[in-house]
Amino acid sequence: MTQTLTDNDALLIDGVALGSRLIMGTGGAPSLEGLEAALVASGTELTTVAMRRYAVHGEGNTAGANLFDLLVQNRIRVLPNTAGCFTAREALMTAELGREALETDWVKLEVIADEHTLLPDAVELVEATESLVNRGFKVFAYTNDDPVLALRLEQLGAAVVMPLGAPIGTGLGILNPHNIELIVSRASVPIILDAGIGTASDAALAMELGCDGVLLASAVTRAQDPVRMATAFRHAVIGGRLAAQAGRIPMRTHALASSAMEGRADF
Amino acid sequence: MSTIQLNGAARPLLTGTTLSALVTEVTGRELLPTGQPIDGGRLGVAVARNSGIVPRSQWSRTLLEIHDEIEIVTAVQGG
């Protein structure tokens, strides 16, 4: 019997079942048309957006309004982020704007330390997580690949913990697989690998390490052929998920023949 | 001249203008008193006035005042 790969294996977040464990962000696409094609090819049911000033008529483009319409039309759920925030105070305000504008209490909490590394500021992140949870947000906490911090965020009430594979936009893959595995093994909320993904095998590895999903944007939107790359990631995430569930063989030092030695013909 | 700041730029203020009227002017969408678009769609916009968020349900009851700092934000591409 042919197994339908995603049946009965939805990613459950806050009571919502997502059919795809690949979450594709909207950042970095040169055109809305190209973005739409890539989103559709990725099969994603949830995508990130940033909150920015509405382009007032005659003062630039109106891509903002069009992006939201495009996502609504394609029935892709929206996850507003707090990208560009350096303090908990800024993140709270941005999160409130996202909730009001997009009518969702889901927020991808991103509090970065500096523009050079774009790494999360752990202290501000903890403070913002606590405040947002208290205000009724479902916090998707973007964090360092630190098992201690990841657990702390979960204890503070984060709905999802999202450790980075590598710094945002680097495409370096998963720099510390051991930490990701450790984070997953101790978590009781979904763990979604976020940031640093470069190519399909990185996403497959994330799933093999036990992650519940993968979030990426640049790896698709800045690829030479975004639709093809989005398709690759769709398959990679499914492949990695199935492999994680299937129980891999143990690694061995020496070879182990899979063909029997008995019954060989004499020459 | 009476002005407000809209998304960082000065803008003339006509007495009696509501926040709802300003949002309609900027987005081109007519709004119900609830702040929902008349066309039945979703607006995808939030408004802050002097650093405080004004829920859409209050836009039609909020009169703009001189020197108000208004931010109208929406979703744009981002990871």
Side-chain angles (χ1 to χ4, degrees), chain A residues 152-186:
Chain A
R152 182 62 68 92
L153 293 167
E154 177 184 328
Q155 288 161 351
L156 287 172
V160 178
V161 174
M162 306 209 292
L164 54 78
I168 293 170
T170 59
L172 290 171
I174 299 175
L175 296 180
N176 195 334
H178 174 73
N179 270 10
I180 299 298
E181 209 164 22
L182 190 52
I183 289 170
V184 167
S185 71
R186 306 199 302 173

PDB file of all heavy atoms in Angstrom, chain A residues 152-186:
ATOM      1  N   ARG A 152      14.416  26.638  29.430  1.00  0.00           N
ATOM      2  CA  ARG A 152      13.933  27.784  30.193  1.00  0.00           C
ATOM      3  C   ARG A 152      12.768  28.471  29.450  1.00  0.00           C
ATOM      4  O   ARG A 152      11.768  28.844  30.062  1.00  0.00           O
ATOM      5  CB  ARG A 152      15.084  28.762  30.421  1.00  0.00           C
ATOM      6  CG  ARG A 152      14.737  29.986  31.246  1.00  0.00           C
ATOM      7  CD  ARG A 152      14.300  29.621  32.658  1.00  0.00           C
ATOM      8  NE  ARG A 152      15.378  29.077  33.446  1.00  0.00           N
ATOM      9  CZ  ARG A 152      16.182  29.788  34.242  1.00  0.00           C
ATOM     10  NH1 ARG A 152      16.004  31.068  34.340  1.00  0.00           N
ATOM     11  NH2 ARG A 152      17.138  29.214  34.923  1.00  0.00           N
ATOM     12  N   LEU A 153      12.888  28.599  28.140  1.00  0.00           N
ATOM     13  CA  LEU A 153      11.835  29.245  27.348  1.00  0.00           C
ATOM     14  C   LEU A 153      10.542  28.432  27.412  1.00  0.00           C
ATOM     15  O   LEU A 153       9.444  28.977  27.527  1.00  0.00           O
ATOM     16  CB  LEU A 153      12.291  29.429  25.900  1.00  0.00           C
ATOM     17  CG  LEU A 153      13.450  30.423  25.725  1.00  0.00           C
ATOM     18  CD1 LEU A 153      14.055  30.307  24.331  1.00  0.00           C
ATOM     19  CD2 LEU A 153      12.980  31.850  25.989  1.00  0.00           C
ATOM     20  N   GLU A 154      10.708  27.108  27.351  1.00  0.00           N
ATOM     21  CA  GLU A 154       9.533  26.239  27.476  1.00  0.00           C
ATOM     22  C   GLU A 154       8.872  26.427  28.837  1.00  0.00           C
ATOM     23  O   GLU A 154       7.647  26.560  28.937  1.00  0.00           O
ATOM     24  CB  GLU A 154       9.945  24.773  27.281  1.00  0.00           C
ATOM     25  CG  GLU A 154       8.778  23.819  27.475  1.00  0.00           C
ATOM     26  CD  GLU A 154       9.182  22.354  27.390  1.00  0.00           C
ATOM     27  OE1 GLU A 154      10.116  22.035  26.626  1.00  0.00           O
ATOM     28  OE2 GLU A 154       8.554  21.536  28.086  1.00  0.00           O
ATOM     29  N   GLN A 155       9.679  26.488  29.891  1.00  0.00           N
ATOM     30  CA  GLN A 155       9.130  26.659  31.240  1.00  0.00           C
ATOM     31  C   GLN A 155       8.428  28.004  31.401  1.00  0.00           C
ATOM     32  O   GLN A 155       7.493  28.136  32.185  1.00  0.00           O
ATOM     33  CB  GLN A 155      10.255  26.515  32.276  1.00  0.00           C
ATOM     34  CG  GLN A 155      10.732  25.074  32.411  1.00  0.00           C
ATOM     35  CD  GLN A 155      12.115  24.957  33.049  1.00  0.00           C
ATOM     36  OE1 GLN A 155      12.801  25.957  33.250  1.00  0.00           O
ATOM     37  NE2 GLN A 155      12.528  23.740  33.343  1.00  0.00           N
ATOM     38  N   LEU A 156       8.877  28.995  30.649  1.00  0.00           N
ATOM     39  CA  LEU A 156       8.243  30.323  30.709  1.00  0.00           C
ATOM     40  C   LEU A 156       6.914  30.343  29.949  1.00  0.00           C
ATOM     41  O   LEU A 156       6.185  31.321  30.006  1.00  0.00           O
ATOM     42  CB  LEU A 156       9.178  31.381  30.140  1.00  0.00           C
ATOM     43  CG  LEU A 156      10.380  31.752  31.013  1.00  0.00           C
ATOM     44  CD1 LEU A 156      11.330  32.656  30.247  1.00  0.00           C
ATOM     45  CD2 LEU A 156       9.918  32.425  32.293  1.00  0.00           C
ATOM     46  N   GLY A 157       6.656  29.285  29.184  1.00  0.00           N
ATOM     47  CA  GLY A 157       5.369  29.197  28.509  1.00  0.00           C
ATOM     48  C   GLY A 157       5.408  29.334  26.998  1.00  0.00           C
ATOM     49  O   GLY A 157       4.356  29.484  26.364  1.00  0.00           O
ATOM     50  N   ALA A 158       6.606  29.302  26.405  1.00  0.00           N
ATOM     51  CA  ALA A 158       6.685  29.361  24.939  1.00  0.00           C
ATOM     52  C   ALA A 158       5.912  28.187  24.341  1.00  0.00           C
ATOM     53  O   ALA A 158       6.001  27.064  24.834  1.00  0.00           O
ATOM     54  CB  ALA A 158       8.143  29.327  24.480  1.00  0.00           C
ATOM     55  N   ALA A 159       5.138  28.459  23.288  1.00  0.00           N
ATOM     56  CA  ALA A 159       4.353  27.406  22.634  1.00  0.00           C
ATOM     57  C   ALA A 159       5.240  26.535  21.759  1.00  0.00           C
ATOM     58  O   ALA A 159       4.985  25.343  21.574  1.00  0.00           O
ATOM     59  CB  ALA A 159       3.241  28.030  21.792  1.00  0.00           C
ATOM     60  N   VAL A 160       6.265  27.154  21.189  1.00  0.00           N
ATOM     61  CA  VAL A 160       7.216  26.488  20.302  1.00  0.00           C
ATOM     62  C   VAL A 160       8.591  27.070  20.597  1.00  0.00           C
ATOM     63  O   VAL A 160       8.717  28.277  20.807  1.00  0.00           O
ATOM     64  CB  VAL A 160       6.870  26.757  18.813  1.00  0.00           C
ATOM     65  CG1 VAL A 160       7.886  26.103  17.889  1.00  0.00           C
ATOM     66  CG2 VAL A 160       5.463  26.263  18.479  1.00  0.00           C
ATOM     67  N   VAL A 161       9.598  26.208  20.617  1.00  0.00           N
ATOM     68  CA  VAL A 161      10.964  26.704  20.774  1.00  0.00           C
ATOM     69  C   VAL A 161      11.695  26.470  19.451  1.00  0.00           C
ATOM     70  O   VAL A 161      11.606  25.385  18.871  1.00  0.00           O
ATOM     71  CB  VAL A 161      11.679  26.012  21.953  1.00  0.00           C
ATOM     72  CG1 VAL A 161      13.147  26.424  22.010  1.00  0.00           C
ATOM     73  CG2 VAL A 161      10.977  26.354  23.271  1.00  0.00           C
ATOM     74  N   MET A 162      12.369  27.526  18.982  1.00  0.00           N
ATOM     75  CA  MET A 162      12.979  27.462  17.657  1.00  0.00           C
ATOM     76  C   MET A 162      14.481  27.767  17.710  1.00  0.00           C
ATOM     77  O   MET A 162      14.902  28.915  17.527  1.00  0.00           O
ATOM     78  CB  MET A 162      12.264  28.435  16.729  1.00  0.00           C
ATOM     79  CG  MET A 162      10.744  28.208  16.710  1.00  0.00           C
ATOM     80  SD  MET A 162       9.958  28.669  15.185  1.00  0.00           S
ATOM     81  CE  MET A 162      10.159  30.425  15.218  1.00  0.00           C
ATOM     82  N   PRO A 163      15.285  26.723  17.953  1.00  0.00           N
ATOM     83  CA  PRO A 163      16.726  26.935  17.967  1.00  0.00           C
ATOM     84  C   PRO A 163      17.275  27.142  16.561  1.00  0.00           C
ATOM     85  O   PRO A 163      16.738  26.591  15.590  1.00  0.00           O
ATOM     86  CB  PRO A 163      17.264  25.633  18.573  1.00  0.00           C
ATOM     87  CG  PRO A 163      16.239  24.611  18.241  1.00  0.00           C
ATOM     88  CD  PRO A 163      14.916  25.316  18.210  1.00  0.00           C
ATOM     89  N   LEU A 164      18.328  27.921  16.473  1.00  0.00           N
ATOM     90  CA  LEU A 164      18.942  28.156  15.166  1.00  0.00           C
ATOM     91  C   LEU A 164      19.898  27.029  14.829  1.00  0.00           C
ATOM     92  O   LEU A 164      20.507  26.411  15.712  1.00  0.00           O
ATOM     93  CB  LEU A 164      19.670  29.501  15.157  1.00  0.00           C
ATOM     94  CG  LEU A 164      20.718  29.802  16.231  1.00  0.00           C
ATOM     95  CD1 LEU A 164      22.041  29.126  15.939  1.00  0.00           C
ATOM     96  CD2 LEU A 164      20.922  31.306  16.345  1.00  0.00           C
ATOM     97  N   GLY A 165      20.026  26.761  13.520  1.00  0.00           N
ATOM     98  CA  GLY A 165      21.042  25.827  13.046  1.00  0.00           C
ATOM     99  C   GLY A 165      22.363  26.563  12.909  1.00  0.00           C
ATOM    100  O   GLY A 165      23.435  26.057  13.235  1.00  0.00           O
ATOM    101  N   ALA A 166      22.271  27.794  12.402  1.00  0.00           N
ATOM    102  CA  ALA A 166      23.418  28.675  12.186  1.00  0.00           C
ATOM    103  C   ALA A 166      22.838  30.088  12.104  1.00  0.00           C
ATOM    104  O   ALA A 166      21.622  30.240  11.988  1.00  0.00           O
ATOM    105  CB  ALA A 166      24.143  28.298  10.898  1.00  0.00           C
ATOM    106  N   PRO A 167      23.683  31.128  12.160  1.00  0.00           N
ATOM    107  CA  PRO A 167      23.123  32.485  12.086  1.00  0.00           C
ATOM    108  C   PRO A 167      22.261  32.710  10.832  1.00  0.00           C
ATOM    109  O   PRO A 167      22.505  32.114   9.775  1.00  0.00           O
ATOM    110  CB  PRO A 167      24.368  33.375  12.078  1.00  0.00           C
ATOM    111  CG  PRO A 167      25.379  32.588  12.844  1.00  0.00           C
ATOM    112  CD  PRO A 167      25.122  31.147  12.460  1.00  0.00           C
ATOM    113  N   ILE A 168      21.265  33.579  10.985  1.00  0.00           N
ATOM    114  CA  ILE A 168      20.295  33.898   9.937  1.00  0.00           C
ATOM    115  C   ILE A 168      20.990  34.225   8.608  1.00  0.00           C
ATOM    116  O   ILE A 168      21.919  35.032   8.573  1.00  0.00           O
ATOM    117  CB  ILE A 168      19.435  35.110  10.375  1.00  0.00           C
ATOM    118  CG1 ILE A 168      18.550  34.737  11.569  1.00  0.00           C
ATOM    119  CG2 ILE A 168      18.578  35.631   9.217  1.00  0.00           C
ATOM    120  CD1 ILE A 168      17.848  35.926  12.229  1.00  0.00           C
ATOM    121  N   GLY A 169      20.533  33.591   7.566  1.00  0.00           N
ATOM    122  CA  GLY A 169      21.000  33.927   6.222  1.00  0.00           C
ATOM    123  C   GLY A 169      22.362  33.381   5.838  1.00  0.00           C
ATOM    124  O   GLY A 169      22.830  33.613   4.724  1.00  0.00           O
ATOM    125  N   THR A 170      23.005  32.626   6.750  1.00  0.00           N
ATOM    126  CA  THR A 170      24.357  32.141   6.428  1.00  0.00           C
ATOM    127  C   THR A 170      24.344  30.884   5.565  1.00  0.00           C
ATOM    128  O   THR A 170      25.308  30.617   4.850  1.00  0.00           O
ATOM    129  CB  THR A 170      25.170  31.812   7.703  1.00  0.00           C
ATOM    130  OG1 THR A 170      24.458  30.805   8.454  1.00  0.00           O
ATOM    131  CG2 THR A 170      25.371  33.060   8.567  1.00  0.00           C
ATOM    132  N   GLY A 171      23.304  30.085   5.661  1.00  0.00           N
ATOM    133  CA  GLY A 171      23.264  28.840   4.902  1.00  0.00           C
ATOM    134  C   GLY A 171      24.327  27.839   5.340  1.00  0.00           C
ATOM    135  O   GLY A 171      24.701  26.953   4.579  1.00  0.00           O
ATOM    136  N   LEU A 172      24.801  27.981   6.574  1.00  0.00           N
ATOM    137  CA  LEU A 172      25.870  27.096   7.066  1.00  0.00           C
ATOM    138  C   LEU A 172      25.343  25.757   7.565  1.00  0.00           C
ATOM    139  O   LEU A 172      26.126  24.894   7.955  1.00  0.00           O
ATOM    140  CB  LEU A 172      26.655  27.800   8.182  1.00  0.00           C
ATOM    141  CG  LEU A 172      27.527  28.969   7.733  1.00  0.00           C
ATOM    142  CD1 LEU A 172      28.075  29.726   8.946  1.00  0.00           C
ATOM    143  CD2 LEU A 172      28.668  28.476   6.851  1.00  0.00           C
ATOM    144  N   GLY A 173      24.029  25.592   7.599  1.00  0.00           N
ATOM    145  CA  GLY A 173      23.461  24.318   8.035  1.00  0.00           C
ATOM    146  C   GLY A 173      23.366  24.225   9.547  1.00  0.00           C
ATOM    147  O   GLY A 173      23.226  25.237  10.226  1.00  0.00           O
ATOM    148  N   ILE A 174      23.439  23.008  10.076  1.00  0.00           N
ATOM    149  CA  ILE A 174      23.311  22.806  11.518  1.00  0.00           C
ATOM    150  C   ILE A 174      24.703  22.654  12.118  1.00  0.00           C
ATOM    151  O   ILE A 174      25.348  21.622  11.965  1.00  0.00           O
ATOM    152  CB  ILE A 174      22.421  21.577  11.811  1.00  0.00           C
ATOM    153  CG1 ILE A 174      21.031  21.820  11.223  1.00  0.00           C
ATOM    154  CG2 ILE A 174      22.329  21.328  13.322  1.00  0.00           C
ATOM    155  CD1 ILE A 174      20.102  20.644  11.326  1.00  0.00           C
ATOM    156  N   LEU A 175      25.156  23.702  12.797  1.00  0.00           N
ATOM    157  CA  LEU A 175      26.538  23.734  13.269  1.00  0.00           C
ATOM    158  C   LEU A 175      26.748  22.876  14.508  1.00  0.00           C
ATOM    159  O   LEU A 175      27.856  22.422  14.756  1.00  0.00           O
ATOM    160  CB  LEU A 175      26.956  25.185  13.553  1.00  0.00           C
ATOM    161  CG  LEU A 175      26.967  26.102  12.322  1.00  0.00           C
ATOM    162  CD1 LEU A 175      27.404  27.506  12.713  1.00  0.00           C
ATOM    163  CD2 LEU A 175      27.909  25.537  11.256  1.00  0.00           C
ATOM    164  N   ASN A 176      25.688  22.672  15.286  1.00  0.00           N
ATOM    165  CA  ASN A 176      25.849  21.862  16.502  1.00  0.00           C
ATOM    166  C   ASN A 176      24.710  20.844  16.628  1.00  0.00           C
ATOM    167  O   ASN A 176      23.793  21.005  17.424  1.00  0.00           O
ATOM    168  CB  ASN A 176      25.888  22.774  17.743  1.00  0.00           C
ATOM    169  CG  ASN A 176      26.422  22.043  18.961  1.00  0.00           C
ATOM    170  OD1 ASN A 176      26.322  20.811  19.051  1.00  0.00           O
ATOM    171  ND2 ASN A 176      26.987  22.790  19.901  1.00  0.00           N
ATOM    172  N   PRO A 177      24.809  19.787  15.817  1.00  0.00           N
ATOM    173  CA  PRO A 177      23.731  18.777  15.815  1.00  0.00           C
ATOM    174  C   PRO A 177      23.515  18.163  17.191  1.00  0.00           C
ATOM    175  O   PRO A 177      22.384  17.843  17.557  1.00  0.00           O
ATOM    176  CB  PRO A 177      24.233  17.722  14.824  1.00  0.00           C
ATOM    177  CG  PRO A 177      25.298  18.388  14.035  1.00  0.00           C
ATOM    178  CD  PRO A 177      25.893  19.468  14.895  1.00  0.00           C
ATOM    179  N   HIS A 178      24.593  18.046  17.945  1.00  0.00           N
ATOM    180  CA  HIS A 178      24.465  17.448  19.279  1.00  0.00           C
ATOM    181  C   HIS A 178      23.530  18.282  20.159  1.00  0.00           C
ATOM    182  O   HIS A 178      22.666  17.745  20.852  1.00  0.00           O
ATOM    183  CB  HIS A 178      25.845  17.326  19.936  1.00  0.00           C
ATOM    184  CG  HIS A 178      25.785  16.849  21.353  1.00  0.00           C
ATOM    185  ND1 HIS A 178      25.490  15.556  21.684  1.00  0.00           N
ATOM    186  CD2 HIS A 178      25.933  17.516  22.523  1.00  0.00           C
ATOM    187  CE1 HIS A 178      25.485  15.423  22.998  1.00  0.00           C
ATOM    188  NE2 HIS A 178      25.745  16.605  23.533  1.00  0.00           N
ATOM    189  N   ASN A 179      23.694  19.591  20.122  1.00  0.00           N
ATOM    190  CA  ASN A 179      22.834  20.453  20.929  1.00  0.00           C
ATOM    191  C   ASN A 179      21.379  20.375  20.473  1.00  0.00           C
ATOM    192  O   ASN A 179      20.461  20.373  21.291  1.00  0.00           O
ATOM    193  CB  ASN A 179      23.304  21.915  20.854  1.00  0.00           C
ATOM    194  CG  ASN A 179      24.316  22.230  21.942  1.00  0.00           C
ATOM    195  OD1 ASN A 179      24.800  21.335  22.616  1.00  0.00           O
ATOM    196  ND2 ASN A 179      24.627  23.499  22.097  1.00  0.00           N
ATOM    197  N   ILE A 180      21.172  20.328  19.170  1.00  0.00           N
ATOM    198  CA  ILE A 180      19.795  20.250  18.656  1.00  0.00           C
ATOM    199  C   ILE A 180      19.139  18.962  19.148  1.00  0.00           C
ATOM    200  O   ILE A 180      17.998  18.952  19.608  1.00  0.00           O
ATOM    201  CB  ILE A 180      19.779  20.321  17.106  1.00  0.00           C
ATOM    202  CG1 ILE A 180      20.375  21.658  16.615  1.00  0.00           C
ATOM    203  CG2 ILE A 180      18.366  20.105  16.578  1.00  0.00           C
ATOM    204  CD1 ILE A 180      19.625  22.901  17.056  1.00  0.00           C
ATOM    205  N   GLU A 181      19.888  17.867  19.077  1.00  0.00           N
ATOM    206  CA  GLU A 181      19.381  16.571  19.528  1.00  0.00           C
ATOM    207  C   GLU A 181      19.046  16.618  21.025  1.00  0.00           C
ATOM    208  O   GLU A 181      18.023  16.101  21.475  1.00  0.00           O
ATOM    209  CB  GLU A 181      20.451  15.507  19.263  1.00  0.00           C
ATOM    210  CG  GLU A 181      19.900  14.132  19.023  1.00  0.00           C
ATOM    211  CD  GLU A 181      20.947  13.223  18.390  1.00  0.00           C
ATOM    212  OE1 GLU A 181      22.159  13.501  18.523  1.00  0.00           O
ATOM    213  OE2 GLU A 181      20.533  12.233  17.763  1.00  0.00           O
ATOM    214  N   LEU A 182      19.902  17.279  21.786  1.00  0.00           N
ATOM    215  CA  LEU A 182      19.697  17.395  23.232  1.00  0.00           C
ATOM    216  C   LEU A 182      18.453  18.245  23.532  1.00  0.00           C
ATOM    217  O   LEU A 182      17.641  17.916  24.410  1.00  0.00           O
ATOM    218  CB  LEU A 182      20.940  18.032  23.857  1.00  0.00           C
ATOM    219  CG  LEU A 182      21.066  18.036  25.384  1.00  0.00           C
ATOM    220  CD1 LEU A 182      20.871  16.640  25.955  1.00  0.00           C
ATOM    221  CD2 LEU A 182      22.448  18.586  25.776  1.00  0.00           C
ATOM    222  N   ILE A 183      18.303  19.335  22.794  1.00  0.00           N
ATOM    223  CA  ILE A 183      17.128  20.202  22.972  1.00  0.00           C
ATOM    224  C   ILE A 183      15.850  19.400  22.716  1.00  0.00           C
ATOM    225  O   ILE A 183      14.910  19.418  23.504  1.00  0.00           O
ATOM    226  CB  ILE A 183      17.203  21.427  22.025  1.00  0.00           C
ATOM    227  CG1 ILE A 183      18.305  22.395  22.493  1.00  0.00           C
ATOM    228  CG2 ILE A 183      15.852  22.140  21.936  1.00  0.00           C
ATOM    229  CD1 ILE A 183      18.631  23.497  21.515  1.00  0.00           C
ATOM    230  N   VAL A 184      15.842  18.655  21.605  1.00  0.00           N
ATOM    231  CA  VAL A 184      14.668  17.863  21.233  1.00  0.00           C
ATOM    232  C   VAL A 184      14.362  16.816  22.301  1.00  0.00           C
ATOM    233  O   VAL A 184      13.215  16.630  22.702  1.00  0.00           O
ATOM    234  CB  VAL A 184      14.901  17.185  19.861  1.00  0.00           C
ATOM    235  CG1 VAL A 184      13.847  16.120  19.607  1.00  0.00           C
ATOM    236  CG2 VAL A 184      14.916  18.212  18.742  1.00  0.00           C
ATOM    237  N   SER A 185      15.410  16.166  22.801  1.00  0.00           N
ATOM    238  CA  SER A 185      15.201  15.033  23.719  1.00  0.00           C
ATOM    239  C   SER A 185      14.588  15.483  25.039  1.00  0.00           C
ATOM    240  O   SER A 185      13.971  14.690  25.735  1.00  0.00           O
ATOM    241  CB  SER A 185      16.526  14.307  23.970  1.00  0.00           C
ATOM    242  OG  SER A 185      17.374  15.123  24.767  1.00  0.00           O
ATOM    243  N   ARG A 186      14.752  16.742  25.401  1.00  0.00           N
ATOM    244  CA  ARG A 186      14.241  17.198  26.700  1.00  0.00           C
ATOM    245  C   ARG A 186      12.976  18.042  26.589  1.00  0.00           C
ATOM    246  O   ARG A 186      12.418  18.472  27.598  1.00  0.00           O
ATOM    247  CB  ARG A 186      15.320  18.019  27.415  1.00  0.00           C
ATOM    248  CG  ARG A 186      16.632  17.246  27.529  1.00  0.00           C
ATOM    249  CD  ARG A 186      17.532  17.806  28.583  1.00  0.00           C
ATOM    250  NE  ARG A 186      17.876  19.210  28.370  1.00  0.00           N
ATOM    251  CZ  ARG A 186      18.554  19.936  29.262  1.00  0.00           C
ATOM    252  NH1 ARG A 186      18.914  19.392  30.403  1.00  0.00           N
ATOM    253  NH2 ARG A 186      18.852  21.191  29.001  1.00  0.00           N
TER     254      ARG A 186
END
